[in-house]
Amino acid sequence: MTTHPTSPNTVLANALLRAEDVLTPRILATPPERILLVVGTQINGAPHIGTSLVQSLAFAMAARLRDRFGIPTEVLFSALDNAPYDLATDPASGHRYQRAYAQALGDKALTDLVAAVYQPLFTALSRRLGIPYRVETYTQQQAGEHFRRTWLRLLPRLDAARWWLAPSTGTPHLRVPCPHTGCGWAEKHAERTHAHLTDRETATVVAVCLHHGPYRATITPTAGAYLDLATLYRNFVKELSLTSTPTGGTLHVMVKGGDWVFGSLLVDEALQAIGLTRAQLPARLFCPQVVTDTGAKLSKSLIREGHAPLPEGAADWMLDTRQWPGTVTEYADQLLAMAETMLSDPRHFFRSYSAAEIGRRSVPAP
């Protein structure tokens, strides 16, 4: 952005001198040896402008925290390859099924996708700001021993948290894909999927496949079935695992778009329901959201499916950032310029921006 926007004051902005001050209480309460900013994205094709904005703000905030507090910072990109790739309905039961990107594409195709679509921008942002980063797919995360042990320890206590994780049904969605070769379908809403411990380090999951009927799967700390958890459930286990990891004084900061504010309230309540204190909850940073002229979040899926129009003043590249008219380095520079403006005053950070406003200020002159 070349000029500062006109932003209204808010309760939070009025309490801060700098946007990063929202994290100061956590940093001062227990000074960490390093800060890890965790930003996740569903790997379901090319990113849109909202995704790129949050990613660039993670790097920009990491640099500000490093410079202000003198603490090493790093960005962790969580590539969520358990996003739905195919959806289907069982004609006999009416239950919905999904096959995730991880099962539909396989490791190599997903690695190639992340490398081609996301890593060039991360590398440009990293070089520009001197902030290291690393990438972890959800497939890697769920296979990790600590993540799986956390889920196994949680299973007997899930009753205390399940209504926070699934307030409408009380059934947090656990999806263990059908193990038949080439299948990988799983019940989307977990109506007939059940898990129980068979011993301290082993869980048995029973489910029903769209094509192969009933099946069983085993999950242990180091082996067994793919452990696919729906959004709130996944964040619950991930953040619980972070609080119990011997990380050597690492402060984890969850970096999310503004649409996550309401969902994170439920995750925090679930974590407290199983015994965590407020001080044990991960720190969070909610970034500005890109919205349409109606105030709704800019959604590439709604636009592409014909349920919403491309907002007036917006451009096609906002739905597929690979179409941005310039190089990746130039795109990173534009994003960081926007980030600098948004971080220059809390009033510019704790708000939303229309797609038209982002487009007006971000496309280079021909």
Side-chain angles (χ1 to χ4, degrees):
M1 291 182 178
T2 56
T3 59
H4 282 11
T6 301
S7 300
N9 211 346
T10 63
V11 172
L12 179 57
N14 195 48
L16 306 175
L17 295 176
R18 296 162 295 266
E20 64 267 25
D21 286 340
V22 75
L23 299 172
T24 298
R26 285 297 188 94
I27 294 172
L28 296 183
T30 307
E33 296 176 12
R34 69 170 187 145
I35 300 173
L36 182 65
L37 291 94
V38 183
V39 56
T41 298
Q42 282 198 336
I43 305 303
N44 57 357
H48 62 64
I49 180 59
T51 299
S52 293
L53 181 61
V54 172
Q55 291 165 351
S56 63
L57 284 165
F59 279 90
M61 180 58 78
R64 290 173 75 94
L65 294 173
R66 175 199 60 195
D67 296 345
R68 180 176 173 194
F69 294 101
I71 299 172
T73 57
E74 183 181 355
V75 171
L76 171 62
F77 174 57
S78 183
L80 304 175
D81 55 3
N82 64 331
Y85 182 85
D86 293 314
L87 294 172
T89 300
D90 181 358
S93 68
H95 292 173
R96 294 284 282 164
Y97 279 81
Q98 74 172 52
R99 189 166 58 140
Y101 271 73
Q103 283 70 51
L105 299 187
D107 290 342
K108 185 180 186 309
L110 285 166
T111 299
D112 292 345
L113 175 64
V114 173
V117 177
Y118 292 93
Q119 285 195 252
L121 176 61
F122 295 153
T123 299
L125 293 168
S126 176
R127 288 174 177 169
R128 176 75 188 278
L129 298 174
I131 298 295
Y133 78 93
R134 54 191 173 92
V135 176
E136 179 184 62
T137 64
Y138 178 74
T139 293
Q140 294 168 327
Q141 184 182 70
Q142 64 83 34
E145 180 176 353
H146 185 69
F147 186 91
R148 293 166 83 86
R149 284 190 184 279
T150 300
W151 180 78
L152 288 166
R153 288 197 302 268
L154 168 68
L155 199 54
R157 297 185 289 162
L158 191 58
D159 270 354
R162 65 189 182 94
W163 285 103
W164 292 112
L165 299 176
S168 296
T169 63
T171 304
H173 299 167
L174 162 67
R175 294 185 282 262
V176 174
C178 174
H180 281 74
T181 302
C183 186
W185 287 88
E187 207 173 33
K188 184 171 179 59
H189 299 124
E191 295 99 333
R192 297 176 294 181
T193 302
H194 307 284
H196 65 277
L197 291 179
T198 52
D199 61 51
R200 187 175 179 180
E201 294 196 337
T202 306
T204 295
V205 179
V206 294
V208 181
C209 176
L210 174 65
H211 301 294
H212 300 101
Y215 63 94
R216 289 176 174 266
T218 299
I219 294 173
T220 72
T222 58
Y226 190 99
L227 182 60
D228 185 5
L229 307 175
T231 304
L232 294 180
Y233 197 0
R234 178 187 69 241
N235 278 262
F236 174 56
V237 176
K238 176 185 75 174
E239 294 176 11
L240 181 60
S241 71
L242 293 178
T243 64
S244 59
T245 302
T247 52
T250 298
L251 172 65
H252 295 88
V253 179
M254 305 295 111
V255 182
K256 298 181 178 294
D259 56 313
W260 255 98
V261 170
F262 308 110
S264 291
L265 293 174
L266 293 174
V267 174
D268 285 349
E269 292 286 0
L271 290 167
Q272 291 179 90
I274 63 164
L276 268 66
T277 66
R278 288 291 304 177
Q280 292 175 302
L281 301 179
R284 303 190 191 281
L285 181 70
F286 298 106
C287 297
Q289 190 173 192
V290 180
V291 300
T292 68
D293 52 358
T294 69
K297 175 177 133 178
L298 182 69
S299 169
K300 62 182 179 184
S301 58
L302 288 181
I303 294 171
R304 288 174 178 169
E305 292 168 6
H307 300 302
L310 184 69
E312 185 177 350
D316 290 337
W317 69 265
M318 292 185 178
L319 303 182
D320 183 345
T321 57
R322 295 173 299 182
Q323 299 179 27
W324 192 81
T327 66
V328 172
T329 300
E330 290 169 340
Y331 184 49
D333 288 343
Q334 289 287 338
L335 287 169
L336 290 177
M338 282 195 283
E340 183 178 356
T341 296
M342 292 176 180
L343 289 168
S344 67
D345 189 304
R347 288 181 297 177
H348 302 331
F349 189 81
F350 298 104
R351 54 160 289 183
S352 298
Y353 289 85
S354 70
E357 176 71 359
I358 294 292
R360 184 172 68 86
R361 295 170 178 267
S362 61
V363 178

